[in-house]
Amino acid sequence: MTTFDDRERGEEAKFARDEDMQFRIQARRNRLLGQWAAERMGLSAAETDAYAKSVVQADFEEAGDEDVIRKLLGDLVSAGIDANEGEVRTALAEKAIEARRALMGEA
């Protein structure tokens, strides 16, 4: 029974590590996405940092990426930037890859 218990604990630990890594990747992706949008809106460095944090916070509103996409698209359009959902989704995918590479390099 000890081998089974050890295997179960190992699987639980792996699951916890994987979930933590996924959370960190998503948070980093959202920060990078916020910086991308802030650059397009011409925000200052301090405004960019605050905006990137607000994008990370927006992801906690609902499950999935729709809340982040909705925020970015709304903010870009409100700032007079010609943007569409496809462009935001493309940036989201690119920043996800960038975030994953950055965090996997740290691990």
Side-chain angles (χ1 to χ4, degrees), residues 36-88:
W36 169 83
E39 182 180 314
R40 295 205 54 211
M41 291 186 278
L43 301 181
S44 70
E47 292 170 325
T48 295
D49 188 50
Y51 185 74
K53 288 177 184 175
S54 76
V55 173
V56 172
Q57 289 296 319
D59 195 25
F60 297 120
E61 291 177 14
E62 62 187 53
D65 297 330
E66 296 307 311
D67 46 357
V68 173
I69 293 168
R70 202 171 32 253
K71 175 179 179 37
L72 286 169
L73 194 54
D75 291 347
L76 287 167
V77 170
S78 293
I81 306 299
D82 184 30
N84 61 53
E85 186 177 337
E87 183 180 14
V88 173

Side-chain angles (χ1 to χ4, degrees), residues 22-35:
Q22 187 58 35
F23 175 80
R24 291 174 55 210
I25 288 170
Q26 228 173 321
R28 173 85 54 106
R29 176 206 65 189
N30 291 341
R31 178 176 270 289
L32 292 169
L33 197 59
Q35 292 169 345

Side-chain angles (χ1 to χ4, degrees), residues 1-9:
M1 198 71 162
T2 303
T3 302
F4 180 75
D5 291 340
D6 290 346
R7 181 177 291 161
E8 184 177 20
R9 278 193 294 277

